Amino acid sequence: MSSPHAPMPGAEGLAEPLRSRWSPSVFDADHVLADSDIETLLSAAQWAPSAGNSQPWGYVVVPRGTEAHTAFIAHLSRGNAGWVPRASLILVAGTQVGPAPDGRGPKSADYARHDLGQASAHITLQARSMGLHAHQFAGFDHASAAAELGVPDHVALMTGIAIGVHLEPGDPRLEEVSADDRAREERPRERKPLAEIAFASRWSQAWSASDRS
Amino acid sequence: MSSPHAPMPGAEGLAEPLRSRWSPSVFDADHVLADSDIETLLSAAQWAPSAGNSQPWGYVVVPRGTEAHTAFIAHLSRGNAGWVPRASLILVAGTQVGPAPDGRGPKSADYARHDLGQASAHITLQARSMGLHAHQFAGFDHASAAAELGVPDHVALMTGIAIGVHLEPGDPRLEEVSADDRAREERPRERKPLAEIAFASRWSQAWSASDRS
């Protein structure tokens, strides 16, 4: 699972699949994902927690080589049009932000978005456990994609999740990948220090181990 | 990891820590979490993915037995006031939904909420990998808690994450727990069928294994 990208210093103490998770941009365009594996990935989202067990999320299953794939990738942003189509699978993720035609839910669009993020994290980590990598992206024409996929007005598309096998350095098929997409993977992965996201007693008062207020 | 609660039928195929994750309501009120473990949990959030690597989330670290704990639990909803205080740790989770005093970010409050859900999922799953359980909750007086914790106006508190050790059936300390909180754990865990969250080609057209549009 070792990689120049994960785990990063500070992340070595995490358990798998979190430890080795990262978001590659160079996928094996020959790899095909079995439907049974797609079903397992979707089950990971199904069993994610949500506010009041509302489960507001939904995913359109878009495997490479399908008509839906050809239709969806036409709406990718310029920056995503090169690398996303190589992935074995795209899961297009939406969540219920308004009342359904039957008038039901959601209690809160804010929590619907929060809980979609949670369900997509479960998919991403389940993928890593299966030897796959997932790279979430928001860069696509959401209105056109929603029309293309028949997404109703009470559902907001938020992300696509590109899932597949990472093309390892040295693979001759890297020649198929643009320099920009290869370069994207060389960007150093950086995070805010814990002191900027973990607070003791009061917001923005940095927490550190051994603090006890 | 076997439990009457997880894995549920349909979730047996998931990898750990997803497979055995659930949200208990009866925590061991004697268990104390080491700061080194708290730091590992926070690192799981730190390395979660986010839109443009914006990392909009923050967590106030509230261990049982601290002044911050006494202050926070006073704002719990009636339904949460019994069980949440028994957990070893509460992480109070917020995300940046408006521009900071320096005018910076977020690009999108919607993605800030989505990405907080993702970071909290990483904490929850890291906890399970450490033999702990996490139960996220939104039932507390958000305005009062924000004032208590000094949360600035550009940050929205969304959840608390109660983290600790589950008190197993048969433990004599279950006598300390109210019948309501014990009963809460007996509720069957249910999810929508995959056909209601996984779609083939078009939203609300049920996907099933072997579908290929």
Side-chain angles (χ1 to χ4, degrees):
Chain A
M1 296 274 217
S2 168
S3 136
H5 305 284
M8 301 297 286
E12 311 93 331
L14 299 180
E16 292 294 354
L18 292 92
R19 187 173 188 269
S20 63
R21 186 214 65 80
W22 66 290
S23 300
S25 301
V26 179
F27 286 98
D28 177 348
D30 300 316
H31 174 265
V32 173
L33 200 54
D35 280 5
S36 57
D37 289 336
I38 295 174
E39 189 163 25
T40 301
L41 292 165
L42 294 163
S43 301
Q46 180 182 28
W47 286 98
S50 57
N53 199 27
S54 49
Q55 308 163 66
W57 50 72
Y59 296 88
V60 183
V61 179
V62 183
R64 190 189 341 94
T66 61
E67 291 175 16
H69 191 264
T70 305
F72 177 77
I73 63 176
H75 304 296
L76 290 168
S77 67
R78 181 174 306 180
N80 292 335
W83 68 270
V84 171
R86 295 180 56 90
S88 309
L89 172 69
I90 304 167
L91 294 176
V92 183
T95 195
Q96 186 180 353
V97 295
D102 65 7
R104 284 190 309 158
K107 280 213 186 71
S108 159
D110 290 341
Y111 282 93
R113 296 181 190 277
H114 173 277
D115 294 341
L116 174 64
Q118 184 135 225
S120 293
H122 281 228
I123 289 173
T124 294
L125 291 168
Q126 176 63 35
R128 184 79 285 263
S129 294
M130 295 161 68
L132 303 167
H133 281 284
H135 186 159
Q136 299 178 42
F137 59 92
F140 58 92
D141 182 328
H142 289 218
S144 302
E148 193 84 62
L149 300 172
V151 178
D153 293 343
H154 62 280
V155 171
L157 289 187
M158 292 200 73
T159 64
I161 312 177
I163 303 173
V165 170
H166 180 229
L167 211 53
E168 295 297 339
D171 190 303
R173 290 169 295 171
L174 280 166
E175 296 303 324
E176 306 164 2
V177 180
S178 77
D180 283 355
D181 288 331
R182 287 200 304 272
R184 179 195 296 263
E185 288 201 347
E186 300 315 313
R187 293 180 199 155
R189 295 178 64 220
E190 294 172 340
R191 291 296 191 270
K192 297 177 181 177
L194 273 188
E196 291 182 23
I197 65 166
F199 308 124
S201 313
R202 291 181 67 78
W203 197 271
S204 80
Q205 172 183 312
W207 177 87
S208 65
S210 86
D211 273 8
R212 282 289 192 252
S213 60
Chain B
M1 298 276 214
S2 167
S3 137
H5 306 285
M8 302 296 286
E12 310 93 330
L14 298 180
E16 292 293 353
L18 293 92
R19 187 173 187 269
S20 64
R21 187 214 64 82
W22 66 290
S23 299
S25 301
V26 179
F27 285 97
D28 178 346
D30 301 316
H31 175 263
V32 173
L33 200 54
D35 281 5
S36 56
D37 289 336
I38 294 175
E39 189 163 25
T40 301
L41 292 165
L42 294 164
S43 301
Q46 180 182 27
W47 286 97
S50 56
N53 199 27
S54 50
Q55 310 165 64
W57 50 71
Y59 296 89
V60 182
V61 180
V62 183
R64 192 191 337 95
T66 61
E67 291 174 16
H69 191 265
T70 305
F72 177 78
I73 64 176
H75 304 295
L76 289 168
S77 67
R78 182 174 305 180
N80 292 336
W83 69 269
V84 171
R86 295 180 56 90
S88 309
L89 172 68
I90 305 167
L91 294 175
V92 183
T95 196
Q96 186 180 354
V97 294
D102 65 8
R104 282 191 309 160
K107 281 214 185 72
S108 159
D110 290 343
Y111 282 93
R113 297 180 190 277
H114 173 275
D115 294 341
L116 174 63
Q118 184 135 226
S120 293
H122 281 228
I123 290 173
T124 294
L125 292 168
Q126 176 63 35
R128 183 78 285 266
S129 294
M130 295 161 69
L132 304 167
H133 281 282
H135 186 159
Q136 300 178 41
F137 59 92
F140 59 92
D141 182 327
H142 289 216
S144 302
E148 192 84 63
L149 299 172
V151 178
D153 292 344
H154 62 281
V155 172
L157 289 187
M158 292 200 73
T159 64
I161 312 177
I163 302 173
V165 170
H166 180 228
L167 210 53
E168 293 297 339
D171 191 303
R173 290 170 294 172
L174 280 166
E175 296 303 323
E176 306 164 3
V177 179
S178 76
D180 283 355
D181 288 332
R182 287 199 304 272
R184 179 195 297 263
E185 288 201 348
E186 299 317 313
R187 293 182 197 151
R189 293 179 64 219
E190 293 172 344
R191 291 295 191 270
K192 296 176 181 177
L194 273 188
E196 291 182 23
I197 65 166
F199 309 124
S201 312
R202 292 182 66 79
W203 198 271
S204 80
Q205 172 182 311
W207 177 87
S208 64
S210 86
D211 273 9
R212 282 287 193 256
S213 62

